[in-house]
Amino acid sequence: MAKYQAIRGMHDVLPEATPAWQYLEQCAKDVLSNHGYQEIRMPILEMTELFERSIGASTDIVEKEMYTFNDRNGDSLTLRPEGTASCVRAGLEHGLFHNKTQRLWYSGPMFRHEKPQRGRLRQFHQIGVEAVGMAGPDIDAEVILMSAQLWRRLGLTDATLQLNSLGTPACRSRYRDQLVDYLQTHYQRLDEDSRRRLNSNPLRVLDSKNPDLHDLIEAAPKLDAYLDDESRDHFSQLCEILNDAGVAYVLNPRLVRGLDYYSKTVFEWTTDRLGAQGTLCAGGRYDGLVELFGGRPTPAVGFAMGLERLIAALEGCEASTVPQQSYCDVTLIAIGPAARRRSVVLADQLREALPQLRFIADFGSGNLKRQLKRAYDSNARLCLVMGEEELVAGRVNVRDLRHAELQTNLAFSELADHLRSVFAQGSV
Ligand code: HAM
């Protein structure tokens, strides 16, 4: 029979990897709630049009990466490729933005039919943040500083902040005209992709990874020359706050982002250690999106981080605070059918008495040696062993798996206190 496999670009996260994921998610939740951000959960499926209108019909995501299908009613639905559009849709639908500011976060899987490679998946996971209703550079700074705080907590020491301003739609459109003129004069040198983008989304030509176009792109007109006073002022104030906070950044005039909804500030946190897919976290301001979805003009800014890429970056990072976690504190081994039966109840009683303890009763097969091997593999600190003899005496052997010489024999009634004192010392 054919063996089933996960769909290409969609990965299982195995038990050995989940402690790092849980740690990352917990640190992120702590930092976000410290800053007053509240969780919102949106469906994974949305109407296709929601993404087409917000991300932009001529972006790579909408043109070629969405998982889109007709459901049984004939409606065109799409597995979300990102969270901002859904979050804004949800906020508008439930009146969250009406005369209010909102600080929101979400987490979960996103889907893009990209060519799978290291750091680029078809199902990947994001934690995203959206701050809605605040127009000033202070909130841009807050979301950026918040991400920097998370990196410090995780011990991620080599993330570089890249910053740019795309200006308002009006200045971007003036710039776009100049850029198209420039690219038209070099049409013969453009590759097929850039020629296509020249008509549909010329700013994206600047994003081309083709080395042959490098000098052409370098010499192209720069957006910052077209920024209006308001955008310029907003951006310089943001830079000043980041300077005051001591957060380093690189000004990158080529940073345009792959989604159409951005205006003014855009930013990315990158690392050199993950090859071509080095963007760990990215975002910016999107002041026009709420209005595009039929709401009142409402400023907003946010970002999303890719969890797979963050985990990979932390794996190679010396200062990482991700603990090498054991998944168990105590194991219980019983030898013989009567002891085995009694061990189920004993384990239950000990868990009730010490709810914070991670306690595994070994119900696997094999002799004492094999069970002990499993106890060592579980990384437990203590192993309780109960044979028929101990059962009759109402006692168990307690072994310290990290110090073989530390063995003791205790009555059932003494166990809870003993475990409490061992693990109270914080030596788990
Ligand atoms: P994005 O740049 O498309 O922005 O994605 C954000 C992050 O998700 C990327 O920096 C990367 O870490 C991760 N990511 C994206 N695609 C993949 C992939 N195929 N495989 C693995 N990781 C990936 C957004 O999604 C915006 N919604 C961010 C935002 C929120 N802007 C404002 N608010």
Side-chain angles (χ1 to χ4, degrees):
M1 201 175 96
K3 280 198 183 143
Y4 296 115
Q5 288 191 329
I7 293 165
R8 202 161 113 79
M10 302 199 177
H11 290 185
D12 301 303
V13 180
L14 298 180
E16 65 195 30
T18 49
W21 279 75
Q22 288 165 356
Y23 178 75
L24 167 58
E25 286 161 354
Q26 193 56 51
C27 286
K29 283 176 197 169
D30 290 347
V31 170
L32 297 171
S33 70
N34 280 165
H35 287 73
Y37 286 70
Q38 291 182 297
E39 185 180 6
I40 179 166
R41 300 185 184 203
M42 299 86 67
I44 285 171
L45 279 176
E46 297 277 359
M47 301 297 281
T48 301
E49 195 189 323
L50 185 86
F51 301 117
E52 286 172 346
R53 293 202 61 208
S54 54
I55 298 171
S58 59
T59 56
D60 281 353
I61 296 180
V62 171
E63 271 187 349
K64 42 189 187 190
E65 295 171 2
M66 295 206 303
Y67 282 89
T68 297
F69 60 96
N70 287 338
D71 77 354
R72 288 169 195 273
N73 300 330
D75 293 325
S76 178
L77 304 184
T78 293
L79 279 170
R80 63 180 184 195
E82 59 109 45
T84 308
S86 309
C87 186
V88 170
R89 193 265 314 136
L92 268 174
E93 189 172 333
H94 300 286
L96 302 187
F97 305 147
H98 192 64
N99 289 334
K100 275 186 268 195
T101 59
Q102 290 289 350
R103 287 176 163 85
L104 304 170
W105 68 269
Y106 48 83
S107 96
M110 309 289 160
F111 303 85
R112 297 183 194 174
H113 195 272
E114 296 191 74
K115 195 162 178 243
Q117 53 174 258
R118 181 175 171 222
R120 194 202 272 160
L121 301 165
R122 289 182 171 170
Q123 174 177 323
F124 57 97
H125 296 78
Q126 286 185 345
I127 292 182
V129 162
E130 314 295 353
V132 184
M134 289 158 275
D138 39 13
I139 187 70
D140 299 18
E142 177 179 284
V143 297
I144 292 174
L145 295 179
M146 183 164 72
S147 49
Q149 251 193 51
L150 177 60
W151 311 152
R152 286 197 293 278
R153 199 170 286 204
L154 294 168
L156 182 70
T157 42
D158 68 340
T160 303
L161 175 62
Q162 316 232 11
L163 267 189
N164 193 20
S165 175
L166 300 180
T168 56
C171 43
R172 206 157 59 249
S173 134
R174 271 186 288 128
Y175 170 66
R176 187 190 145 110
D177 293 345
Q178 294 301 313
L179 183 66
V180 169
D181 282 352
Y182 169 82
L183 294 172
Q184 288 286 9
T185 58
H186 299 280
Y187 190 80
Q188 292 311 325
R189 281 194 56 198
L190 297 182
D191 58 19
E192 200 187 319
D193 227 25
S194 299
R195 286 180 183 177
R196 200 172 43 80
R197 284 175 169 168
L198 175 60
N199 296 315
S200 58
N201 202 346
L203 263 70
R204 295 284 289 152
V205 176
L206 303 177
D207 241 12
S208 168
K209 303 280 183 289
N210 182 348
D212 296 342
L213 297 182
H214 191 254
D215 57 327
L216 190 90
I217 289 172
E218 242 347 272
K222 303 231 174 5
L223 177 57
D224 59 350
Y226 295 81
L227 291 187
D228 55 20
D229 289 347
E230 184 201 330
S231 305
R232 211 179 283 284
D233 193 42
H234 184 104
F235 194 58
S236 67
Q237 285 189 51
L238 167 63
C239 293
E240 278 168 29
I241 304 176
L242 295 178
N243 293 340
D244 290 348
V247 169
Y249 52 86
V250 177
L251 295 178
N252 178 356
R254 301 287 168 226
L255 184 65
V256 290
R257 310 276 299 120
L259 304 98
D260 278 359
Y261 49 62
Y262 290 110
S263 55
K264 294 188 179 161
T265 313
V266 287
F267 63 93
E268 291 191 357
W269 286 97
T270 57
T271 174
D272 292 337
R273 282 186 296 112
L274 297 183
Q277 309 304 322
T279 306
L280 302 169
C281 171
R285 186 161 272 288
Y286 52 95
D287 291 341
L289 187 56
V290 175
E291 205 180 349
L292 186 75
F293 282 177
R296 296 191 191 170
T298 307
V301 60
F303 66 77
M305 51 192 135
L307 301 192
E308 284 82 0
R309 291 186 192 175
L310 273 171
I311 298 270
L314 286 165
E315 267 165 16
C317 184
E318 265 183 36
S320 162
T321 57
V322 179
Q324 301 297 315
Q325 269 172 334
S326 63
Y327 72 90
C328 168
D329 298 319
V330 182
T331 61
L332 172 61
I333 292 174
I335 314 292
R340 191 113 174 200
R341 227 173 19 250
R342 181 69 181 87
S343 75
V344 183
V345 180
L346 182 63
D348 188 53
Q349 289 165 338
L350 289 171
R351 288 188 192 108
E352 178 101 12
L354 294 133
Q356 74 284 13
L357 214 64
R358 291 163 306 167
F359 194 110
I360 294 180
D362 186 319
F363 297 144
S365 58
N367 56 15
L368 177 62
K369 200 169 153 207
R370 273 192 55 192
Q371 295 197 59
L372 270 174
K373 179 169 184 318
R374 281 198 291 269
Y376 279 105
D377 290 347
S378 77
N379 241 336
R381 162 94 188 271
L382 294 185
C383 177
L384 313 181
V385 183
M386 177 166 54
E388 297 294 335
E389 229 172 80
E390 284 84 11
L391 175 65
V392 172
R395 303 183 75 82
V396 291
N397 274 316
V398 181
R399 294 188 187 207
D400 189 317
L401 295 179
R402 303 188 192 162
H403 304 278
E405 70 286 0
L406 295 181
Q407 281 209 40
T408 150
N409 186 278
L410 295 174
F412 290 169
S413 58
E414 296 169 318
L415 273 173
D417 279 346
H418 180 72
L419 295 180
R420 205 170 281 121
S421 76
V422 170
F423 289 100
Q425 292 155 13
S427 47
V428 182

